[in-house]
Amino acid sequence: MKFSSLLKRTTSILIIFIITILGVSAEEQSGGIDQKINDAFKPAADFTGKMMFSPIPIGEQGIPWVILWLGIAAIVLTLYFRFINIRSFPLALKTVLGKYSKPDDPGQITHFQALASALSGTVGLGNIGGVAVAISMGGAGAVFWMILIGFFSMTTKFAECTLGVKYRKIDSDGTVRGGPMYYLRDGLKEKGLEGLGKILAVLAAITFIFGAFGAGNMYQANQSCALIYDVVLNSDSDDGKWIFGIIMAVLVGVVIIGGIKRVASVTSKLVPSMCIIYLLGGLIVLAFNIGNIPKAIGTIISEAFNPQSAMVGGIIGVFIQGMRRATFSNEAGLGSAPVAHAAVKTSKPASEGIVAILEPFVDTIIVCTMTALVIVSTGVYEIGQTTGTGGGILLTSEAFSSVLPWFKYILMVAVFLFAFSTMITWSYYGEQAIGYLFGPSKFVSNTYKTIFCLFAIVGASSNLGNVLDFCDATLFMMCVPNLIGVYLLLPVIKQELEAFKKHAQSIDSQ
C-alpha cells in the first residue's frame, strides 16, 4: 500500500473518530458531550505524556529524559559559543535595526520583521497562562527556573535559526521555505550523512504536525475558552465548551481552508497592540503593588531551592515545571523558530541567528517575569489549581482583576486574539511539514487542515491536565531530531558566525 493511500485511510478514520465523539445522542446533556470528548482523548494524553516524560532516576527522584535533553543542549551550546547570549547582545540590537544588511539581500522580510513575526508566534498564552500553570503546579520557585532556562535558551535559538537561514530554499517567485526539515536533510548530506539526514527530516516533519495539533491548537482553544467562560458566563463549569470549540474551529477554518486571509491580516495587526496593552496593564498592577515586588522576588528565589509545598516534588519538581513552561513559551530547540526566521533578508545566515537571541529574552525573561511578578505580588497564587479546564489562565486574570477589575475583559479579548493568531501560525507550520512529506497535494493539505480544525473542539472540551500532557509531549517531540542536527552541524554554525562577525567588523570600521 502506498504511503499516501495509508495517510488517506488514517486521516479518514481520525475524522470519523472525532465526529463520532461529537455526534453523541442529541438528547444528551452538553456537559456529557464535553465529558465524552475528554474521556476519549485521555488515553492519547496519557500515552504521549508517558512516552515523552519517562523519568531518569537522579537520587531519590527522576527527571524526564526530554527535559534533560533540552536543558543539557541549552547549556552545552552556551558554553560552546562562549556565552554568545551575553557577548553578542549589543550586536543583536544593531543587527535587528538593519545595520549589517542590504535591501537587495535574498529573502522576503527585514531582521526586525522576522523577529516580530517569530515573537507573534511565541508571545501569547504561554506567557499569560503558561506562567500561571508553572506557579500553580510548581509554586513560585518554578519561575526562577523558567528565567534561567530562558537565558540559556537564547543560545539554542541562535544555533537553530542560523541553520534555518543557511539551508533555506527560495523559490522562483521569491517564496522562502525553511525549517529543520531542510537543514537536517541538506546539512547532514554535506557531512556524508545523507541517510540519517533524510530520516531525521521526516521525523521532524511528523513531529511538527503533532506539535501543530497540540501546542499550536488544543492549548490555545482550551485556555481562551476557559477565560471567556469565566468572564462572560461567570462560570467554571465544563458544560457546553464543545460549542466554543466548534466556533473556534469554524473561525480558523474560514482562514486556513476558506482562504479568507483578511481575517488573519486584521488579527496579525491587532496582536502587537494586545501585547503592548498587556504589558502596560502588567506595569500598572506592579506599580500598585510596588511595595510587594521585593518580597515577590524573594519568594520566587527562595522557593526555587526550598519549595513550601510537598505537592511539587521538591526542587526537582519545581525545576521540571519551570523547564516545561519555559520551553512551551519560547519554543527554543524545537525547530519552529527557524521556519519564521528563514524568510529574513540577509546574505549572512548567522546574522539572523544573532537576532534570534533576542526572542527568548523578550518572551521568557521580560514578559514571563512580568506575569509572574503580577501573580506573586498580588498574593493570589496557590499551588495545585490545575484540575479544571481553565486552571492557569484564570489565575492570571484574577491577579490583574485584583487591581484593575475591568482588565479581565481586555485580557479576554487579548487571549482570544493570541490564541487565534497562534493557531493560524501553527497551522502554517504543520502545512509546511505536510508539504515536505507529500509534496503539493490539495487533498492532503485540506485533509490536514480539517483535522487541525477538529482538534480545536477536543482542546476546548478537555481537562487542562490532559491538554498539557498531550501538548507538552507533542511539542517536546520536535526537539529530538532537531537537536541531533544542531549538534552534528555545530562546525557549520561556528563557521557562519565567524563570517558574520568579520562582515560586521568591516562595516563598523568604516
Side-chain angles (χ1 to χ4, degrees):
M1 181 184 296
K2 290 184 178 180
F3 192 55
S4 58
S5 299
L6 179 61
L7 174 75
K8 291 179 182 179
R9 292 193 179 187
T10 303
T11 51
S12 297
I13 292 170
L14 279 171
I15 292 173
I16 292 170
F17 171 71
I18 296 173
I19 292 175
T20 300
I21 294 173
L22 297 176
V24 293
S25 173
E27 293 105 17
E28 191 140 22
Q29 295 287 332
S30 56
I33 295 178
D34 288 309
Q35 190 61 49
K36 272 186 173 293
I37 294 173
N38 184 66
D39 291 345
F41 172 64
K42 191 176 189 310
D46 291 341
F47 173 77
T48 53
K50 289 177 182 178
M51 177 178 65
M52 293 305 298
F53 296 108
S54 298
I56 294 177
I58 297 179
E60 296 182 356
Q61 291 185 307
I63 297 182
W65 66 269
V66 73
I67 297 289
L68 288 174
W69 173 251
L70 264 170
I72 290 173
I75 295 171
V76 168
L77 291 172
T78 300
L79 295 175
Y80 181 85
F81 290 107
R82 297 184 295 122
F83 287 89
I84 192 173
N85 49 343
I86 298 175
R87 293 186 302 106
S88 293
F89 198 88
L91 179 62
L93 295 176
K94 289 188 288 185
T95 306
V96 78
L97 295 176
K99 183 175 182 180
Y100 307 114
S101 57
K102 300 176 182 178
D104 58 349
D105 280 341
Q108 293 177 296
I109 55 179
T110 66
H111 286 293
F112 181 80
Q113 290 170 330
L115 178 63
S117 175
L119 282 172
S120 70
T122 56
V123 175
L125 298 195
N127 310 87
I128 301 173
V131 174
V133 169
I135 292 174
S136 60
M137 294 185 73
V143 177
F144 174 87
W145 299 111
M146 280 189 74
I147 296 169
L148 186 64
I149 200 62
F151 167 76
F152 285 105
S153 295
M154 292 165 70
T155 310
T156 309
K157 274 287 176 78
F158 156 76
E160 61 184 351
C161 289
T162 297
L163 291 175
V165 178
K166 168 71 175 176
Y167 293 101
R168 65 184 175 178
K169 303 299 177 187
I170 302 179
D171 295 337
S172 57
D173 62 355
T175 302
V176 177
R177 292 177 288 114
M181 294 82 73
Y182 298 97
Y183 57 75
L184 288 170
R185 182 191 67 188
D186 301 336
L188 295 185
K189 181 179 179 180
E190 289 180 357
K191 297 183 71 67
L193 300 170
E194 182 176 1
L196 177 62
K198 287 182 177 180
I199 293 172
L200 291 177
V202 170
L203 287 175
I206 293 172
T207 58
F208 250 71
I209 296 167
F210 280 102
F213 290 154
N217 184 331
M218 292 181 64
Y219 179 77
Q220 314 301 320
N222 180 279
Q223 292 290 272
S224 56
C225 176
L227 188 56
I228 289 174
Y229 250 60
D230 180 71
V231 173
V232 177
L233 302 179
N234 194 26
S235 170
D236 59 359
S237 170
D238 287 343
D239 292 349
K241 291 190 173 180
W242 61 275
I243 298 174
F244 174 86
I246 290 176
I247 294 172
M248 184 67 106
V250 170
L251 290 175
V252 173
V254 163
V255 176
I256 68 173
I257 299 176
I260 303 178
K261 304 299 184 184
R262 183 176 296 179
V263 178
S265 177
V266 171
T267 303
S268 66
K269 290 180 174 62
L270 286 174
V271 165
S273 301
M274 290 294 101
C275 286
I276 294 171
I277 292 172
Y278 177 74
L279 290 172
L280 288 176
L283 292 174
I284 292 172
V285 173
L286 293 179
F288 272 87
N289 291 278
I290 193 167
N292 296 332
I293 292 177
K295 182 181 177 181
I297 294 173
T299 299
I300 289 170
I301 295 174
S302 64
E303 291 200 14
F305 302 95
N306 184 29
Q308 296 302 303
S309 173
M311 289 177 61
V312 303
I315 187 173
I316 298 296
V318 177
F319 167 76
I320 290 171
Q321 291 303 324
M323 180 70 187
R324 285 179 68 163
R325 302 278 59 83
T327 301
F328 193 100
S329 175
N330 62 49
E331 300 175 15
L334 306 181
S336 56
V339 178
H341 286 276
V344 70
K345 287 184 176 182
T346 185
S347 59
K348 303 294 180 184
S351 66
E352 188 59 19
I354 292 292
V355 168
I357 71 173
L358 299 173
E359 194 180 331
F361 178 79
V362 173
D363 179 276
T364 307
I365 297 177
I366 293 181
V367 181
C368 287
T369 299
M370 190 200 72
T371 302
L373 288 176
V374 166
I375 293 172
V376 179
S377 67
T378 54
V380 302
Y381 79 98
E382 288 182 27
I383 296 174
Q385 298 183 357
T386 58
T387 54
T389 307
I393 196 73
L394 303 186
L395 192 62
T396 307
S397 179
E398 183 182 349
F400 275 91
S401 297
S402 66
V403 173
L404 304 170
W406 48 266
F407 194 78
K408 62 182 180 181
Y409 299 102
I410 295 177
L411 185 63
M412 177 188 71
V413 174
V415 163
F416 180 81
L417 290 173
F418 284 141
F420 186 68
S421 63
T422 300
M423 290 169 77
I424 293 170
T425 300
W426 270 94
S427 170
Y428 169 75
Y429 288 168
E431 189 177 1
Q432 291 289 94
I434 285 286
Y436 179 86
L437 289 173
F438 302 104
S441 168
K442 191 171 183 180
F443 170 80
V444 173
S445 177
N446 285 336
T447 300
Y448 156 75
K449 291 174 182 177
T450 301
I451 297 174
F452 182 89
C453 292
L454 291 173
F455 265 93
I457 305 171
V458 181
S461 303
S462 298
N463 182 281
L464 177 61
N466 290 337
V467 170
L468 284 175
D469 284 343
F470 181 79
C471 293
D472 282 355
T474 53
L475 195 70
F476 277 60
M477 284 179 191
M478 296 166 59
C479 76
V480 179
N482 183 55
L483 288 178
I484 291 174
V486 169
Y487 278 129
L488 293 174
L489 294 171
L490 279 177
V492 176
I493 301 170
K494 193 169 186 178
Q495 181 181 351
E496 291 297 334
L497 175 61
E498 294 304 318
F500 174 60
K501 281 184 174 180
K502 290 179 181 178
H503 173 71
Q505 287 170 359
S506 67
I507 293 177
D508 288 338
S509 62
Q510 293 177 0

